[in-house]
Amino acid sequence: MKDFIKKYRHAWLILAYFPIYLLWFFLLEKNVTKDYYIISSPLDSYIPFVEWFIIPYLLWFPFIAGFVLYFIFRDKSEYYRLSGLLISGMTVFCLVCTFFPNGLDLRPDLETLGRQNIFLDLIHILHKADTSTNVCPSIHVYNSLAVCLAVFTSKHLKRAHAVKAGTLILTAAICMSTVFLKQHSVIDVICAFALAAVLAPVFYLRRSPKEADAHKSALSEEDAKNAFN
């Protein structure tokens, strides 16, 4: 057990941050209940409410957690980059919502839709657990983009074409789900993309000489194995 903890002690980075983030977000949810800025765009009215998008929306949770765990055990350097991107983005999100309280009024009244199914039941539970405040930028979108970037830049997943394709499809579906479920405005999604575009280069465009050499070496070894096979 001591050897295991020592080998994967880098996991503390994300494990230590999440309680801080969850507490911060909980306090925002409890305190941002009125006098907040309504996020809206004319484009929102053209997007229909489609309840089955709750599937990719909920898949976000195992999607993010699963790849964080994968990189903890498989690729420490990629894990550090992904953790830095996730932590910085979620911190910016909390700061924005702290100093610029925001919310939306897009959610439909589920009782007036005239239909009942398991998807609407799940959305009803979601509405009870998650308020319509603290929405910009969308963390669902931002974290999905961060994980997608990590998958596509990982040396260990270089030839995992099925994994990359699945990741790209699920990321797109999650981003779409936020607006089709009326959980977010188009503006929230655009802001999440903009935030990712600003922060991603900080962690992914620069490698230390040691990391660059290790990355090249790993790719060369993999190419040699594939050529031999």
Side-chain angles (χ1 to χ4, degrees):
M1 180 59 71
K2 289 183 179 179
D3 292 339
F4 180 85
I5 294 174
K6 183 178 180 180
K7 183 177 181 180
Y8 299 109
R9 62 181 180 272
H10 51 278
W12 72 267
L13 179 61
I14 202 77
L15 294 177
Y17 176 77
F18 266 108
I20 298 172
Y21 169 77
L22 291 175
L23 176 60
W24 196 346
F25 183 74
F26 174 78
L27 291 173
L28 286 170
E29 288 285 274
K30 287 297 183 181
N31 290 286
V32 181
T33 57
K34 60 181 180 179
D35 299 327
Y36 53 83
Y37 184 82
I38 298 295
I39 305 293
S40 64
S41 166
L43 293 176
D44 295 328
S45 61
Y46 292 98
I47 301 174
F49 173 77
V50 183
E51 63 261 32
W52 61 261
F53 266 106
I54 189 64
I55 298 175
Y57 189 87
L58 294 179
L59 284 177
W60 177 83
F61 296 95
F63 174 59
I64 303 300
F67 273 111
V68 168
L69 287 172
Y70 171 82
F71 290 118
I72 285 175
F73 292 109
R74 190 72 177 90
D75 190 337
K76 184 163 67 172
S77 61
E78 195 67 52
Y79 162 75
Y80 277 128
R81 276 187 286 274
L82 175 59
S83 294
L85 189 55
L86 292 174
I87 289 171
S88 59
M90 288 188 287
T91 300
V92 170
F93 160 76
C94 287
L95 287 171
V96 169
C97 293
T98 298
F99 296 103
F100 180 65
N102 57 78
L104 47 77
D105 57 2
L106 298 173
R107 290 181 176 181
D109 183 353
L110 302 181
E111 303 298 328
T112 65
L113 293 179
R115 59 183 183 273
Q116 187 65 37
N117 53 57
I118 189 173
F119 304 127
L120 291 176
D121 292 339
L122 290 172
I123 295 171
H124 183 69
I125 295 172
L126 174 64
H127 285 181
K128 283 187 174 182
D130 184 23
T131 71
S132 58
T133 58
N134 309 307
V135 295
C136 187
S138 169
I139 285 299
H140 251 66
V141 172
Y142 177 86
N143 283 2
S144 297
L145 294 174
V147 167
C148 188
L149 177 60
V151 169
F152 273 79
T153 58
S154 172
K155 60 181 179 291
H156 294 291
L157 296 173
K158 178 185 177 185
R159 300 189 183 281
H161 302 301
V163 173
K164 289 182 177 181
T167 297
L168 189 60
I169 292 170
L170 183 54
T171 297
I174 290 171
C175 293
M176 293 171 63
S177 74
T178 62
V179 292
F180 278 97
L181 290 179
K182 303 301 179 179
Q183 284 291 105
H184 287 280
S185 164
V186 171
I187 292 176
D188 303 332
V189 175
I190 293 173
C191 287
F193 270 84
L195 182 60
V198 170
L199 294 179
V202 176
F203 299 96
Y204 281 88
L205 288 186
R206 295 181 180 180
R207 295 179 186 267
S208 67
K210 183 177 180 180
E211 285 182 332
D213 291 341
H215 185 73
K216 290 179 181 178
S217 177
L219 294 181
S220 297
E221 289 178 5
E222 186 176 350
D223 289 337
K225 288 180 182 178
N226 291 328
F228 179 78
N229 292 332

PDB file of all heavy atoms in Angstrom, residues 161-176:
ATOM      1  N   HIS A 161      -7.360   5.254 -32.233  1.00  0.00           N
ATOM      2  CA  HIS A 161      -8.272   6.029 -33.086  1.00  0.00           C
ATOM      3  C   HIS A 161      -9.721   5.910 -32.638  1.00  0.00           C
ATOM      4  O   HIS A 161     -10.481   6.884 -32.716  1.00  0.00           O
ATOM      5  CB  HIS A 161      -8.121   5.580 -34.536  1.00  0.00           C
ATOM      6  CG  HIS A 161      -6.725   5.725 -35.066  1.00  0.00           C
ATOM      7  ND1 HIS A 161      -6.074   6.939 -35.099  1.00  0.00           N
ATOM      8  CD2 HIS A 161      -5.844   4.800 -35.567  1.00  0.00           C
ATOM      9  CE1 HIS A 161      -4.854   6.773 -35.603  1.00  0.00           C
ATOM     10  NE2 HIS A 161      -4.695   5.485 -35.891  1.00  0.00           N
ATOM     11  N   ALA A 162     -10.119   4.724 -32.174  1.00  0.00           N
ATOM     12  CA  ALA A 162     -11.499   4.535 -31.723  1.00  0.00           C
ATOM     13  C   ALA A 162     -11.771   5.369 -30.473  1.00  0.00           C
ATOM     14  O   ALA A 162     -12.845   5.971 -30.335  1.00  0.00           O
ATOM     15  CB  ALA A 162     -11.766   3.065 -31.434  1.00  0.00           C
ATOM     16  N   VAL A 163     -10.799   5.411 -29.577  1.00  0.00           N
ATOM     17  CA  VAL A 163     -10.943   6.212 -28.354  1.00  0.00           C
ATOM     18  C   VAL A 163     -11.046   7.690 -28.705  1.00  0.00           C
ATOM     19  O   VAL A 163     -11.882   8.419 -28.160  1.00  0.00           O
ATOM     20  CB  VAL A 163      -9.754   5.968 -27.397  1.00  0.00           C
ATOM     21  CG1 VAL A 163      -9.822   6.927 -26.198  1.00  0.00           C
ATOM     22  CG2 VAL A 163      -9.740   4.523 -26.919  1.00  0.00           C
ATOM     23  N   LYS A 164     -10.206   8.136 -29.619  1.00  0.00           N
ATOM     24  CA  LYS A 164     -10.236   9.543 -30.027  1.00  0.00           C
ATOM     25  C   LYS A 164     -11.571   9.889 -30.693  1.00  0.00           C
ATOM     26  O   LYS A 164     -12.153  10.945 -30.417  1.00  0.00           O
ATOM     27  CB  LYS A 164      -9.083   9.841 -30.976  1.00  0.00           C
ATOM     28  CG  LYS A 164      -7.711   9.840 -30.310  1.00  0.00           C
ATOM     29  CD  LYS A 164      -6.634  10.198 -31.326  1.00  0.00           C
ATOM     30  CE  LYS A 164      -5.268  10.285 -30.683  1.00  0.00           C
ATOM     31  NZ  LYS A 164      -4.220  10.647 -31.655  1.00  0.00           N
ATOM     32  N   ALA A 165     -12.040   9.023 -31.565  1.00  0.00           N
ATOM     33  CA  ALA A 165     -13.307   9.286 -32.252  1.00  0.00           C
ATOM     34  C   ALA A 165     -14.461   9.324 -31.252  1.00  0.00           C
ATOM     35  O   ALA A 165     -15.320  10.222 -31.308  1.00  0.00           O
ATOM     36  CB  ALA A 165     -13.561   8.207 -33.308  1.00  0.00           C
ATOM     37  N   GLY A 166     -14.481   8.362 -30.329  1.00  0.00           N
ATOM     38  CA  GLY A 166     -15.522   8.337 -29.312  1.00  0.00           C
ATOM     39  C   GLY A 166     -15.483   9.558 -28.423  1.00  0.00           C
ATOM     40  O   GLY A 166     -16.525  10.127 -28.062  1.00  0.00           O
ATOM     41  N   THR A 167     -14.261   9.980 -28.070  1.00  0.00           N
ATOM     42  CA  THR A 167     -14.101  11.168 -27.234  1.00  0.00           C
ATOM     43  C   THR A 167     -14.616  12.417 -27.941  1.00  0.00           C
ATOM     44  O   THR A 167     -15.303  13.254 -27.345  1.00  0.00           O
ATOM     45  CB  THR A 167     -12.619  11.365 -26.865  1.00  0.00           C
ATOM     46  OG1 THR A 167     -12.183  10.248 -26.085  1.00  0.00           O
ATOM     47  CG2 THR A 167     -12.413  12.644 -26.082  1.00  0.00           C
ATOM     48  N   LEU A 168     -14.276  12.545 -29.208  1.00  0.00           N
ATOM     49  CA  LEU A 168     -14.715  13.705 -29.981  1.00  0.00           C
ATOM     50  C   LEU A 168     -16.238  13.744 -30.107  1.00  0.00           C
ATOM     51  O   LEU A 168     -16.864  14.799 -29.934  1.00  0.00           O
ATOM     52  CB  LEU A 168     -14.073  13.677 -31.371  1.00  0.00           C
ATOM     53  CG  LEU A 168     -14.253  14.922 -32.232  1.00  0.00           C
ATOM     54  CD1 LEU A 168     -13.645  16.145 -31.552  1.00  0.00           C
ATOM     55  CD2 LEU A 168     -13.618  14.720 -33.605  1.00  0.00           C
ATOM     56  N   ILE A 169     -16.839  12.590 -30.389  1.00  0.00           N
ATOM     57  CA  ILE A 169     -18.298  12.519 -30.527  1.00  0.00           C
ATOM     58  C   ILE A 169     -18.987  12.846 -29.205  1.00  0.00           C
ATOM     59  O   ILE A 169     -19.953  13.623 -29.170  1.00  0.00           O
ATOM     60  CB  ILE A 169     -18.723  11.121 -31.026  1.00  0.00           C
ATOM     61  CG1 ILE A 169     -18.253  10.910 -32.472  1.00  0.00           C
ATOM     62  CG2 ILE A 169     -20.235  10.940 -30.931  1.00  0.00           C
ATOM     63  CD1 ILE A 169     -18.419   9.491 -32.972  1.00  0.00           C
ATOM     64  N   LEU A 170     -18.480  12.251 -28.118  1.00  0.00           N
ATOM     65  CA  LEU A 170     -19.102  12.499 -26.821  1.00  0.00           C
ATOM     66  C   LEU A 170     -18.922  13.952 -26.385  1.00  0.00           C
ATOM     67  O   LEU A 170     -19.838  14.566 -25.830  1.00  0.00           O
ATOM     68  CB  LEU A 170     -18.517  11.557 -25.767  1.00  0.00           C
ATOM     69  CG  LEU A 170     -19.137  11.652 -24.366  1.00  0.00           C
ATOM     70  CD1 LEU A 170     -20.650  11.469 -24.432  1.00  0.00           C
ATOM     71  CD2 LEU A 170     -18.515  10.624 -23.432  1.00  0.00           C
ATOM     72  N   THR A 171     -17.755  14.519 -26.653  1.00  0.00           N
ATOM     73  CA  THR A 171     -17.529  15.931 -26.318  1.00  0.00           C
ATOM     74  C   THR A 171     -18.517  16.820 -27.057  1.00  0.00           C
ATOM     75  O   THR A 171     -19.115  17.739 -26.469  1.00  0.00           O
ATOM     76  CB  THR A 171     -16.091  16.343 -26.674  1.00  0.00           C
ATOM     77  OG1 THR A 171     -15.172  15.581 -25.889  1.00  0.00           O
ATOM     78  CG2 THR A 171     -15.865  17.827 -26.410  1.00  0.00           C
ATOM     79  N   ALA A 172     -18.705  16.559 -28.346  1.00  0.00           N
ATOM     80  CA  ALA A 172     -19.668  17.345 -29.134  1.00  0.00           C
ATOM     81  C   ALA A 172     -21.085  17.174 -28.592  1.00  0.00           C
ATOM     82  O   ALA A 172     -21.845  18.144 -28.477  1.00  0.00           O
ATOM     83  CB  ALA A 172     -19.606  16.924 -30.594  1.00  0.00           C
ATOM     84  N   ALA A 173     -21.441  15.926 -28.241  1.00  0.00           N
ATOM     85  CA  ALA A 173     -22.783  15.656 -27.725  1.00  0.00           C
ATOM     86  C   ALA A 173     -23.013  16.338 -26.381  1.00  0.00           C
ATOM     87  O   ALA A 173     -24.103  16.869 -26.118  1.00  0.00           O
ATOM     88  CB  ALA A 173     -22.987  14.146 -27.588  1.00  0.00           C
ATOM     89  N   ILE A 174     -21.993  16.351 -25.529  1.00  0.00           N
ATOM     90  CA  ILE A 174     -22.116  17.016 -24.229  1.00  0.00           C
ATOM     91  C   ILE A 174     -22.295  18.517 -24.411  1.00  0.00           C
ATOM     92  O   ILE A 174     -23.148  19.144 -23.764  1.00  0.00           O
ATOM     93  CB  ILE A 174     -20.886  16.722 -23.351  1.00  0.00           C
ATOM     94  CG1 ILE A 174     -20.890  15.249 -22.912  1.00  0.00           C
ATOM     95  CG2 ILE A 174     -20.860  17.633 -22.127  1.00  0.00           C
ATOM     96  CD1 ILE A 174     -19.623  14.806 -22.223  1.00  0.00           C
ATOM     97  N   CYS A 175     -21.501  19.099 -25.295  1.00  0.00           N
ATOM     98  CA  CYS A 175     -21.629  20.535 -25.564  1.00  0.00           C
ATOM     99  C   CYS A 175     -23.023  20.875 -26.087  1.00  0.00           C
ATOM    100  O   CYS A 175     -23.632  21.869 -25.670  1.00  0.00           O
ATOM    101  CB  CYS A 175     -20.564  20.983 -26.565  1.00  0.00           C
ATOM    102  SG  CYS A 175     -18.870  20.895 -25.944  1.00  0.00           S
ATOM    103  N   MET A 176     -23.532  20.044 -26.987  1.00  0.00           N
ATOM    104  CA  MET A 176     -24.868  20.263 -27.526  1.00  0.00           C
ATOM    105  C   MET A 176     -25.938  20.082 -26.452  1.00  0.00           C
ATOM    106  O   MET A 176     -26.940  20.803 -26.419  1.00  0.00           O
ATOM    107  CB  MET A 176     -25.123  19.315 -28.695  1.00  0.00           C
ATOM    108  CG  MET A 176     -24.268  19.580 -29.920  1.00  0.00           C
ATOM    109  SD  MET A 176     -24.429  18.271 -31.170  1.00  0.00           S
ATOM    110  CE  MET A 176     -26.170  18.411 -31.591  1.00  0.00           C
TER     111      MET A 176
END
